[in-house]
C-alpha cells in the first residue's frame, strides 16, 4: 500500500488486499444448481460460485457516538472481518463544540440509554467513541462513563480517553504532543486529564473549531502535527473521533520517527483488545507493536 504521500492522500483500496487473501484461504468452489424459469430449457444449469464453506463467526462491538459523528466508515477500517459494529448516537443538541457540549455528551442517563439500545445483538463490549465527552470531567468522569455503560448491561466498557491512556502506557509514552480541533477551553481539559494520569503534554495545537469537525482535511491535520511536534515528545496524539486519520497515521510515524495515536484508532484498538481481537492497521505502531493473537 502506498503510504509515502501525506497531504491530500486518497486510499486506492490496496490496503484491503490482505483481507481478501485471508478470505480466499477459507473459500471453496461449489457447484450451485440454478432452476430454469418457465419457458427456459429444462436442463440443469451449473454455475461455479466461490463461497465460504461456512459463514465466519462474528463478535459484536457496540459504539455509542456523539449525535454529530460522521465517520462510521473509518471505524470499520480498523475492524477485522469476524467483528460487527453496532453504532448508535447520543441525543441531538444545538450547542457548538464547547465545554458545555462535551459535558452534555457525558450525561450518565443518556449514555446508559444509548447502551441499552445496543444490547439486543449482544455485543461483547460497548465503546463510548467521543474523546472530549470522556475527558471533559477528568479521570473520575471517565470512570463514571464506564460504570454507566456496564451498569446498563454491557459486559465490558471502553471510552476513547480511557483507551488513549491505555495506549500510551502500552507504548511506554509519558511525554506527548497534542493536536485537537477544539477551542482552547476544551483542549485545556484534555491536558488536565492527561496530567491526572502522569502524562506530560509538552506542546499542544488546537484548531479552534466549534462545528463541522469532520470536514478537517488530511493536509490540515498533517500541518498541525508538524507544528506541534517537539524532540522531547515521545508520541503525538490527534484528538476527536470526528477527525479523519486512518490513511495518514503510518506516513506521519515514518516522517516523525515516533508513534502517532488518534482518537478513532485508540478507541477501536481498546475495544478489540478487550474481546481478544486484533485491529487492522498496516504499519501503525500502536497496532503492530501491541499485536496479540485472536481468540
Amino acid at each position: 500500500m502506498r503510504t509515502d504521500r501525506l497531504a491530500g492522500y486518497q486510499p486506492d483500496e490496496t490496503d484491503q488486499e490482505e483481507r481478501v487473501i485471508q478470505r480466499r484461504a477459507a473459500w471453496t468452489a461449489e457447484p450451485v444448481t440454478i432452476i430454469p424459469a418457465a419457458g427456459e430449457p429444462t436442463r440443469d444449469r451449473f454455475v461455479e460460485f466461490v463461497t465460504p464453506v461456512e459463514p465466519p463467526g462474528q463478535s459484536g462491538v457496540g459504539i455509542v457516538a456523539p449525535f454529530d459523528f460522521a465517520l462510521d466508515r473509518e471505524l470499520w477500517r480498523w475492524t477485522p472481518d469476524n467483528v460487527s459494529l453496532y453504532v448508535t448516537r447520543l441525543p441531538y443538541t444545538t450547542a457548538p463544540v464547547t465545554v458545555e457540549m462535551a459535558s452534555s455528551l457525558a450525561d450518565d442517563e443518556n449514555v446508559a440509554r444509548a447502551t441499552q439500545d445496543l444490547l439486543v445483538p449482544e455485543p461483547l463490549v460497548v465503546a463510548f467513541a467521543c474523546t472530549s465527552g470522556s475527558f471533559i470531567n477528568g479521570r473520575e468522569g471517565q470512570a463514571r462513563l464506564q460504570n454507566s455503560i456496564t451498569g446498563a448491561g454491557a459486559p465490558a466498557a471502553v471510552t476513547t480517553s480511557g483507551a488513549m491512556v491505555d495506549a500510551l502506557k502500552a507504548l511506554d509514552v509519558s511525554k506527548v504532543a497534542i493536536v485537537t480541533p477544539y477551542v482552547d477551553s476544551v483542549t485545556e481539559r484534555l491536558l488536565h486529564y492527561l496530567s491526572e494520569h502522569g502524562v506530560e503534554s509538552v506542546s499542544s495545537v488546537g484548531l479552534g473549531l466549534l462545528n463541522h469537525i469532520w470536514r478537517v482535511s488530511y493536509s490540515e491535520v498533517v500541518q498541525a502535527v508538524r507544528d506541534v511536534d517537539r524532540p522531547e515528545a515521545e508520541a503525538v496524539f490527534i484528538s476527536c473521533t470526528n477527525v479523519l486519520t486512518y490513511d495518514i497515521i503510518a506516513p506521519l510515524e515514518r516522517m516523525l520517527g515516533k508513534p502517532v495515536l488518534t482518537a478513532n484508532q485508540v478507541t477501536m484498538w481498546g475495544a478489540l483488545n478487550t474481546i481478544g481481537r486484533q485491529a487492522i492497521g498496516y504499519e501503525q505502531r500502536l497496532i503492530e507493536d501491541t499485536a496479540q493473537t485472536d481468540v
Side-chain angles (χ1 to χ4, degrees):
M1 145 177 151
R2 285 290 303 276
T3 51
D4 56 334
R5 291 175 290 181
L6 290 173
Y9 172 66
Q10 295 298 319
D12 60 7
E13 301 301 327
T14 57
D15 61 336
Q16 303 302 315
E17 182 177 351
E18 183 171 326
R19 294 192 193 197
V20 172
I21 293 171
Q22 290 172 350
R23 289 193 191 105
R24 286 178 175 168
W27 289 359
T28 185
E30 297 179 348
V32 178
T33 302
I34 307 297
I35 300 175
E40 290 187 356
T42 57
R43 63 180 177 82
D44 288 343
R45 291 183 293 146
F46 291 90
V47 180
E48 290 273 312
F49 277 76
V50 179
T51 59
V53 176
E54 292 291 343
Q58 290 288 302
S59 300
V61 171
I63 302 290
V64 175
F67 67 91
D68 62 344
F69 183 65
L71 306 184
D72 302 56
R73 173 72 182 101
E74 174 149 288
L75 297 184
W76 278 99
R77 298 186 71 183
W78 276 286
T79 307
D81 290 335
N82 59 357
V83 174
S84 290
L85 301 184
Y86 316 133
V87 184
T88 192
R89 281 161 172 74
L90 294 165
Y92 172 74
T93 175
T94 59
V97 183
T98 59
V99 168
E100 291 72 26
M101 174 185 168
S103 297
S104 71
L105 294 173
D107 180 83
D108 292 342
E109 291 186 6
N110 286 340
V111 172
R113 188 175 303 111
T115 300
Q116 290 170 343
D117 290 342
L118 296 169
L119 296 182
V120 171
E122 300 180 349
L124 301 179
V125 62
V126 171
F128 181 81
C130 178
T131 325
S132 61
S134 53
F135 69 62
I136 200 69
N137 294 318
R139 185 170 184 165
E140 290 187 4
Q142 192 278 143
R144 284 199 305 273
L145 278 175
Q146 287 189 289
N147 290 337
S148 295
I149 293 169
T150 54
V158 168
T159 73
T160 300
S161 294
M164 169 188 62
V165 170
D166 290 342
L168 292 172
K169 290 179 179 177
L171 295 175
D172 195 25
V173 170
S174 60
K175 296 182 179 181
V176 64
I178 302 292
V179 172
T180 86
Y182 314 130
V183 295
D184 289 347
S185 57
V186 179
T187 299
E188 287 167 5
R189 293 288 188 101
L190 172 56
L191 306 187
H192 174 71
Y193 173 79
L194 287 168
S195 70
E196 289 185 291
H197 289 275
V199 177
E200 179 184 353
S201 305
V202 301
S203 60
S204 64
V205 168
L207 300 181
L209 301 179
L210 291 172
N211 50 47
H212 297 109
I213 289 173
W214 65 88
R215 295 179 180 173
V216 174
S217 67
Y218 278 163
S219 59
E220 290 175 285
V221 176
V222 169
Q223 186 58 55
V225 169
R226 285 187 172 125
D227 292 342
V228 82
D229 186 39
R230 299 290 185 274
E232 62 270 29
E234 299 165 342
V236 175
F237 176 68
I238 303 170
S239 189
C240 191
T241 54
N242 243 347
V243 175
L244 277 168
T245 58
Y246 188 95
D247 295 300
I248 58 175
I249 294 172
L252 281 170
E253 290 182 327
R254 288 199 302 275
M255 181 180 77
L256 302 180
K258 62 186 68 173
V260 174
L261 308 181
T262 77
N264 283 326
Q265 180 200 46
V266 299
T267 302
M268 294 309 301
W269 171 84
L272 291 166
N273 272 1
T274 299
I275 65 172
R277 297 291 184 268
Q278 177 65 36
I280 305 297
Y282 303 111
E283 299 183 5
Q284 295 178 15
R285 292 272 295 273
L286 174 64
I287 307 304
E288 295 194 346
D289 289 1
T290 62
Q292 62 178 341
T293 302
D294 281 2
V295 296

